[in-house]
Amino acid sequence: MSHTPDPSHLPDHDSVYDGLLGGDDSQWAFGTDFEDPLAGVDTTVPDGVDTHELATYCLMLADDALVMSHRLSQWCSNAPDLEEDIALANIALDLLGQARLLLARAAAADPSVVPALPAGSPVPPEDALAFFRGDREFRNVRLVETDNGDFAVTIARLLLFSTWRLALLQRLAASRDHVLSAVAIKGVKEMTYHRDYAGRWFLTLARGTEESRRRLIAGLEATWPLRAELFTTHPVELAVAGSGVGVDPSTVADEVDVLLEQVFSMSGVDRPDIAPLAGVRGETGRDGLHTEAFSRLLAEMQVVARAHPMGSW
Amino acid sequence: MVAAREAAASVTDPEMPMLTLEDLGVLRDVEVDDERVVVTITPTYSGCPAMATMRDDLVHRLRDEGFDDVEVRVSLHPAWSSDWITPRGRAALVEHGLSAPGPAPSHDGPVVLSLQPTRRTLACPRCGSSEVDLTSEFGPTACKALYRCAACLEPFEHVKEI
């Protein structure tokens, strides 16, 4: 016997949730409607810039932010205390916002980078890029994709990531691409307090108890092999630096080193001397070659969207 | 019929409803071209989840005033600054128990790394005491830090300088 109610007996309503709150749908306000983050923004590509190179570069910057954001959001309800839970979620939200703008910019620059979906699918380009690309199509550095580890590992990684990205975005502010320039100028404000947060916790853990110091050093050593990749120039990065829209990451290496040295010396921590993690036949994250942990991350991040390619969120 | 500018300026922020979008500095422009209204807004933070709601609220308010053709555009540059919150907005924050931001830091030149806790000179929005302690640099929304007053012992939120 079926328990499904006959639809003709249900009261007329606009939402199936009306019975819960008497038709006040304000609690569904966020995330129920698609908002193009670049609505009304001029997305014309500057003269002399290859649209596919620009889009690929935007994906690199977007994927770094998206994957780092996802890892940080995994701390929700798991952080050492409520304040850190909120702090990591706030940082994750800023990075997610940067990722959305950059994914939308990639799609606007070259729509061919957006995966094809079934005809009539309402999934917007930024979501198609986030949820319907396979691991080989993601261009993020491997630093952001490995497991969170404990809080000390997360802090060591966030220090490296935010110091590097802040330096990159400061230079990207001068991009000839007005969208990238605007995203960078905004991002600099946000990365500044992300870096401060990571630096303060790095110092606090290093000067805390014997156990916190032990874990911090272990976290830094676990993260360090993925550092060199941040400053290795990919041909696409070289090309967009040449056309004045992007930044060659090797140019920020010295500045990042000086800042890290400042944190290390105040913390009484030695700069690790550990070899970089090798790529596969010379290919690394920027080429779409990732670690095993990344496949598990993607599976979790994408499963719902992929199960409903015609879904509207 | 209320003018489009006036109608758009009366829409409030979904997370801080004591502030209008105009007082928050998010409303950048309202243009009327024949029947069409184009409203331009600037996000406070890159990940501000309230942008879609702001857009919907603007469209609804303008439709209620008889403007059927409304477009809401995003302007990313210049980036929003807490300096854009108007004096009336600051007064409304304090009236509702929030502490208003001081001057935003300048982002010209190298960005200095700060390994010390953020120092701000604040007054408790309830009792006015300057004996306040930072409890968390991050709060329930991206734009707020959490404080407590050592005099009246009440916690309060501070809108951060950015």
Side-chain angles (χ1 to χ4, degrees), chain B residues 9-24:
Chain B
S10 70
V11 174
T12 54
D13 178 75
E15 287 176 342
M16 293 190 285
M18 74 293 283
L19 292 186
T20 63
L21 297 186
E22 184 177 48
D23 286 335
L24 185 58

Side-chain angles (χ1 to χ4, degrees), chain A residues 135-148:
Chain A
D135 61 326
R136 291 299 312 265
E137 297 161 292
F138 273 80
R139 298 295 197 131
N140 55 282
V141 291
R142 292 176 298 173
L143 173 76
V144 296
E145 73 197 32
T146 51
D147 287 328
N148 276 327

Side-chain angles (χ1 to χ4, degrees), chain A:
Chain A
M1 181 181 154
S2 168
H3 293 275
T4 308
D6 176 352
S8 65
H9 294 155
L10 290 173
D12 285 340
H13 51 52
D14 292 323
S15 160
V16 291
Y17 301 110
D18 281 358
L20 292 173
L21 292 148
D24 175 6
D25 63 354
S26 57
Q27 83 279 17
W28 310 115
F30 298 161
T32 57
D33 192 10
F34 169 59
E35 160 84 350
D36 176 4
L38 294 180
V41 173
D42 179 7
T43 53
T44 312
V45 173
D47 287 344
V49 176
D50 182 282
T51 55
H52 187 69
E53 279 173 355
L54 175 62
T56 307
Y57 180 62
C58 291
L59 290 180
M60 291 175 174
L61 295 171
D63 292 345
D64 289 343
L66 176 65
V67 177
M68 187 69 185
S69 172
H70 190 78
R71 280 293 181 214
L72 290 172
S73 72
Q74 289 177 327
W75 278 103
C76 276
S77 80
N78 291 309
D81 57 38
L82 184 59
E83 284 76 9
E84 288 358 286
D85 217 277
I86 294 169
L88 294 172
N90 265 284
I91 292 171
L93 181 62
D94 287 340
L95 292 171
L96 186 63
Q98 293 176 20
R100 287 191 61 194
L101 291 161
L102 290 162
L103 289 174
R105 207 292 164 261
D110 181 5
S112 77
V113 300
V114 181
L117 285 164
S121 169
V123 173
E126 55 167 312
D127 283 13
L129 284 165
F131 299 123
F132 292 88
R133 276 182 299 158
D135 61 326
R136 291 299 312 265
E137 297 161 292
F138 273 80
R139 298 295 197 131
N140 55 282
V141 291
R142 292 176 298 173
L143 173 76
V144 296
E145 73 197 32
T146 51
D147 287 328
N148 276 327
D150 63 12
F151 184 65
V153 176
T154 290
I155 289 298
R157 166 160 59 185
L158 187 59
L159 179 68
L160 292 189
F161 176 76
S162 57
T163 305
W164 168 69
R165 190 169 175 91
L166 174 55
L168 279 183
L169 294 188
Q170 279 183 278
R171 281 168 177 72
L172 191 62
S175 173
R176 286 174 59 221
D177 183 65
H178 295 306
V179 182
L180 276 184
S181 166
V183 171
I185 290 168
K186 184 78 189 163
V188 164
K189 294 185 178 207
E190 294 163 353
M191 299 315 299
T192 298
Y193 59 78
H194 298 184
R195 190 182 69 180
D196 286 347
Y197 173 83
R200 285 168 198 165
W201 262 114
F202 193 97
L203 185 64
T204 300
L205 293 174
R207 287 179 173 178
T209 64
E210 202 177 307
E211 176 65 0
S212 73
R213 184 177 173 80
R214 182 188 70 76
R215 287 198 185 210
L216 178 77
I217 291 170
L220 182 62
E221 288 176 349
T223 309
W224 200 257
L226 295 161
R227 175 198 152 275
E229 196 179 323
L230 306 181
F231 307 103
T232 307
T233 311
H234 186 275
V236 167
E237 290 169 320
L238 195 63
V240 290
S243 58
V245 291
V247 177
D248 173 351
S250 69
T251 61
V252 303
D254 290 348
E255 179 189 333
V256 171
D257 270 351
V258 168
L259 276 150
L260 290 179
E261 203 49 55
Q262 194 183 334
V263 181
F264 293 165
S265 80
M266 275 191 79
S267 306
V269 169
D270 292 331
R271 181 187 161 97
D273 183 17
I274 303 173
L277 181 69
V280 178
R281 291 183 296 278
E283 297 200 335
T284 59
R286 287 282 187 252
D287 306 296
L289 265 180
H290 298 281
T291 59
E292 186 185 337
F294 187 53
S295 297
R296 291 193 295 270
L297 178 152
L298 276 192
E300 180 187 281
M301 189 178 88
Q302 297 181 331
V303 61
V304 176
R306 283 184 180 253
H308 303 282
M310 302 302 283
S312 192
W313 307 96

